[in-house]
Amino acid sequence: MDPSPAPSEPTAAPRPARKSALAFFGVLLVLFLPGLLAQALHVFAGLVWSELFVFLLPALVLTLGSNLRAVPYLRLGRVRPAAVVLGALCGVAGTLLAMAVMAAAQQVMPRSWIETFDVAKLFDRPLAERVFLAVVATFVAPPCEEIAFRGYLQTTLLARRAPAVAIAGSSLLFAVIHLDPVRFPALLVLGAVFGWLAWRSGSLWPAVAAHAANNGLVSLFAIAAPRAAPEVENPPLLALLGALVLGAAALAPLLAAFRSVAAGPLSPETALVLRDPADPSTRFRPGRVPAWLRLTLLLGLQILLALVLAVRMGLLPGARR
């Protein structure tokens, strides 16, 4: 009797092209220059333009242009409401810890650095303008920056690195992009908190909630008192230690509670969902970028040019001169 033919082995799917987190960060750095120009021309319009066209749009362009679906790759899927609420509370506790870390670091920084990079200067303006800045910082910046750093960048790192390395890497680059040595230690702490929340839940939304809570809390402080009292700027050592312990003590149980309600980390493979299953390649190709997204990029360039012209002609209230 003839032996039955052996079943053919399934053909292995081609391995997706590896994305580069550093290349993406390089794109952000290049785009950060026109973002700084926009903010120098007009604080309000420039901040909104920067968040949309420096952080949000590049992440979408590189994801969709790589034949990947945005929702799984950028971790925009649904998450339990309890995780989002706990994420916001972790953001509040993380703010306390980060502010204590920054205050401690300032004790060894040159005074010139502290004065040069004092973000409170942004709030030295009428109340209505301070409120607008707070709204942008609380509701516009968090989703845009989180999609860039904990969405695209951290997901890209997780494809090749251990979670701790990916979270640390995204936190470091998040702190670097702000170009602020005074806030750098605090941004490292906050980036680590945001990154852990996104990784542990498999979703970006708890990190967005934490980021929004942090920005909202800091903005409220700035609106209420744009300039800190001398005793706040130069706290005694015992007060610094107490603030560090209090911040850590507040954050630790919240992170433990978050761990219990979060669905759990998703494997890196779950992010690789192809837009066109017939084409297994995930190498970036400009032709894959949807037409509406290319038009949006052109619109962003036109808005920036219009901003420059409006400022030069004195047509835009609140512009810097």
Side-chain angles (χ1 to χ4, degrees), residues 30-241:
V30 171
L31 293 174
F32 203 69
L33 297 176
L36 290 176
L37 171 63
Q39 293 177 45
L41 293 169
H42 194 277
V43 173
F44 308 129
L47 282 173
V48 175
W49 191 92
S50 296
E51 294 299 336
L52 295 176
F53 294 98
V54 175
F55 297 113
L56 175 62
L57 267 296
L60 291 175
V61 167
L62 289 178
T63 299
L64 299 179
S66 298
N67 195 29
L68 294 168
R69 292 190 179 275
V71 170
Y73 196 79
L74 301 178
R75 298 308 192 190
L76 297 172
R78 294 180 180 179
V79 68
R80 296 175 183 174
V84 177
V85 173
L86 277 171
L89 294 176
C90 288
V92 173
T95 300
L96 299 177
L97 179 59
M99 290 176 69
V101 169
M102 185 174 69
Q106 285 180 347
Q107 305 307 304
V108 296
M109 290 181 181
R111 186 66 192 176
S112 59
W113 287 15
I114 298 173
E115 294 174 353
T116 301
F117 294 95
D118 185 7
V119 294
K121 294 176 182 177
L122 284 174
F123 288 86
D124 284 345
R125 55 186 71 247
L127 179 60
E129 295 182 6
R130 278 186 269 161
V131 171
F132 183 84
L133 280 175
V135 170
V136 172
T138 305
F139 298 104
V140 179
C144 294
E145 295 179 12
E146 290 306 308
I147 284 174
F149 285 93
R150 258 60 64 176
Y152 188 94
L153 200 149
Q154 184 166 294
T155 299
T156 299
L157 287 172
L158 283 168
R160 290 186 286 176
R161 299 286 184 263
V165 176
I167 293 170
S170 66
S171 303
L172 176 63
L173 297 178
F174 173 69
V176 168
I177 198 71
H178 286 79
L179 304 178
D180 187 341
V182 175
R183 289 192 296 156
F184 185 84
L187 291 168
L188 277 179
V189 172
L190 291 170
V193 173
F194 302 159
W196 186 85
L197 293 174
W199 167 76
R200 188 64 183 78
S201 64
S203 171
L204 205 66
W205 299 116
V208 171
H211 198 152
N214 166 77
N215 287 12
L217 189 59
V218 172
S219 297
L220 284 177
F221 288 155
I223 290 174
R227 291 295 174 186
E231 60 271 16
V232 176
E233 291 185 346
N234 299 287
L237 179 59
L238 186 60
L240 281 176
L241 293 176

